[in-house]
């Protein structure tokens, strides 16, 4: 992650992360790279949990939000509309980061059509 941050700078930040995500990651210089890496991992996991293809969707349509009880994933249109059309009722996320690695698990909960 540090290599991407160094190499692509602001262009990378704006393409992948929302302004709120950038503000949170930048608020702690000591944790900066780990925070970006964890959010990137969560976005990738959400991409897979939602069965999205690799094209046509902005990374910023998936936002990792820090809350008092932990983190959550918020979808912005058009992904929010797509998830609703697929009967996605909730998204659960767990992230972790330590020196040298970040990992995330995302579950997309769905209801049977018509429920």
């Amino acid at each position: 992650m540090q290599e991407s941050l160094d190499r692509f700078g602001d262009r990378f930040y704006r393409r992948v992360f929302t302004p709120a995500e950038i503000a949170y990651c930048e608020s702690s210089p000591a944790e900066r790279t780990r925070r970006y890496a964890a959010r990137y991992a969560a976005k990738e996991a959400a991409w897979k949990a939602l069965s999205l293809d690799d094209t046509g969707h902005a990374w910023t349509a998936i936002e990792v939000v820090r809350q008092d009880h932990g983190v959550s994933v918020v979808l912005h249109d058009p992904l929010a509309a797509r998830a609703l059309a697929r009967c996605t009722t909730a998204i659960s996320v767990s992230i972790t980061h330590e020196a040298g690695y970040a990992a995330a698990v995302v579950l997309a909960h769905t209801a049977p059509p018509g429920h």
Side-chain angles (χ1 to χ4, degrees):
M1 179 56 59
Q2 186 62 52
E3 185 178 313
S4 292
L5 296 172
D6 291 342
R7 183 173 179 188
F8 301 110
D10 287 346
R11 189 178 76 185
F12 177 71
Y13 299 163
R14 288 190 311 268
R15 186 175 147 245
V16 176
F17 302 101
T18 67
E21 288 172 320
I22 294 169
Y24 175 72
C25 294
E26 294 291 331
S27 71
S28 174
E31 294 292 316
R32 178 180 178 261
T33 303
R34 292 179 195 173
R35 288 178 175 184
Y36 277 118
R39 275 145 189 77
Y40 190 85
K43 288 175 182 250
E44 279 192 320
W47 213 267
K48 292 173 182 167
L50 294 166
S51 300
L52 298 172
D53 54 26
D54 289 356
T55 59
H57 304 288
W59 282 89
T60 54
I62 301 171
E63 184 173 16
V64 180
V65 178
R66 182 174 161 81
Q67 299 175 330
D68 291 339
H69 66 276
V71 294
S72 62
V73 170
V74 175
L75 300 179
H76 301 288
D77 281 330
L79 292 185
R82 184 172 178 179
L84 184 60
R86 290 183 167 188
C87 300
T88 301
T89 58
I91 298 173
S92 301
V93 61
S94 177
I95 63 174
T96 187
H97 53 83
E98 292 294 331
Y101 76 91
V105 175
V106 173
L107 301 174
H109 307 274
T110 59
H115 287 84

